[in-house]
Amino acid sequence: MKWSIIQLQKYRDKGMPIDETVDLNDIKEIDPQVIRVSPIHVTGRADIASNRVTFHLHIEGELVLPCSRTLVEVDVPVDLHTIETYLLDEREYDMYEEEEIHRIEGDVIDLKPAIRELLILEIPMQVLSDEAREQNEMPSGKDWEVMTEEQAHAVDKEEEKKVDPRLADLAKLLDQNKKS
């Protein structure tokens, strides 16, 4: 998904259709939790003007990630729309502080790094397999278990009611002071 500026200028003021499939398995090197990346299908168009190239993209594919609870492989679909802008004149970068603008290296625009970055941002914090979601059991082991927030609040309330025997006399004294 590389084009030289000269190639793109042929489509100036017309728009260039995009329909390509790219291999981005190198994401595994950037984020080791990624097991596999399916071929990524990129469609859309490029609008070429005198000072910028704007890509309107639809990116589809799948990331294979481990389940957070069971480590089973989970297919995570990716389906996103994005607009990526590349300025052709280096001096104009300062004018576009609010927008996400990409820099062109040399005379070639390469969309792969931008697509790679978007895919990495799509990786969820927690991935659950269908089986883990159905069981809805939290992991546990000897002398430990993961609790829901409600369970943790219930335990906290129970512990508040219990008074350390070493401090029982102090608790009685505090209760007397509150009453008076």
Side-chain angles (χ1 to χ4, degrees), residues 171-180:
K172 289 177 189 175
L173 182 62
L174 289 173
D175 284 341
Q176 287 175 358
N177 284 345
K178 285 182 185 176
K179 291 177 185 176
S180 55

Side-chain angles (χ1 to χ4, degrees), residues 1-26:
M1 300 207 55
K2 288 184 183 183
W3 299 275
S4 71
I5 304 299
I6 295 168
Q7 284 176 307
L8 291 172
Q9 289 299 340
K10 293 177 187 175
Y11 294 96
R12 190 171 179 175
D13 300 324
K14 295 181 217 170
M16 179 184 78
I18 298 171
D19 188 356
E20 291 192 34
T21 301
V22 292
D23 177 23
L24 292 171
N25 263 313
D26 58 345

Side-chain angles (χ1 to χ4, degrees), residues 57-141:
L57 304 173
H58 181 211
I59 302 167
E60 296 175 286
E62 274 187 356
L63 300 172
V64 179
L65 302 165
C67 173
S68 300
R69 293 186 187 161
T70 63
L71 298 179
V72 172
E73 292 183 3
V74 179
D75 294 336
V76 178
V78 175
D79 185 1
L80 58 113
H81 295 269
T82 184
I83 298 173
E84 303 296 320
T85 304
Y86 292 80
L87 291 180
L88 301 176
D89 188 354
E90 182 78 28
R91 296 170 288 184
E92 292 188 26
Y93 283 107
D94 297 332
M95 295 171 48
Y96 297 94
E97 290 178 17
E98 291 107 36
E99 293 183 41
E100 179 68 32
I101 303 292
H102 299 279
R103 294 189 180 272
I104 298 173
E105 295 182 22
D107 291 336
V108 176
I109 293 179
D110 185 5
L111 277 182
K112 270 188 171 182
I115 294 170
R116 188 177 298 114
E117 181 180 325
L118 289 167
L119 289 176
I120 290 171
L121 291 173
E122 284 295 306
I123 296 172
M125 294 292 286
Q126 184 178 43
V127 178
L128 293 177
S129 66
D130 292 337
E131 182 182 306
R133 217 178 268 120
E134 286 172 10
Q135 289 177 352
N136 202 20
E137 286 183 21
M138 297 300 225
S140 62

Side-chain angles (χ1 to χ4, degrees), residues 18-37:
I18 298 171
D19 188 356
E20 291 192 34
T21 301
V22 292
D23 177 23
L24 292 171
N25 263 313
D26 58 345
I27 289 176
K28 295 185 295 189
E29 296 168 12
I30 299 168
D31 191 338
Q33 78 174 347
V34 176
I35 298 169
R36 252 183 338 275
V37 180

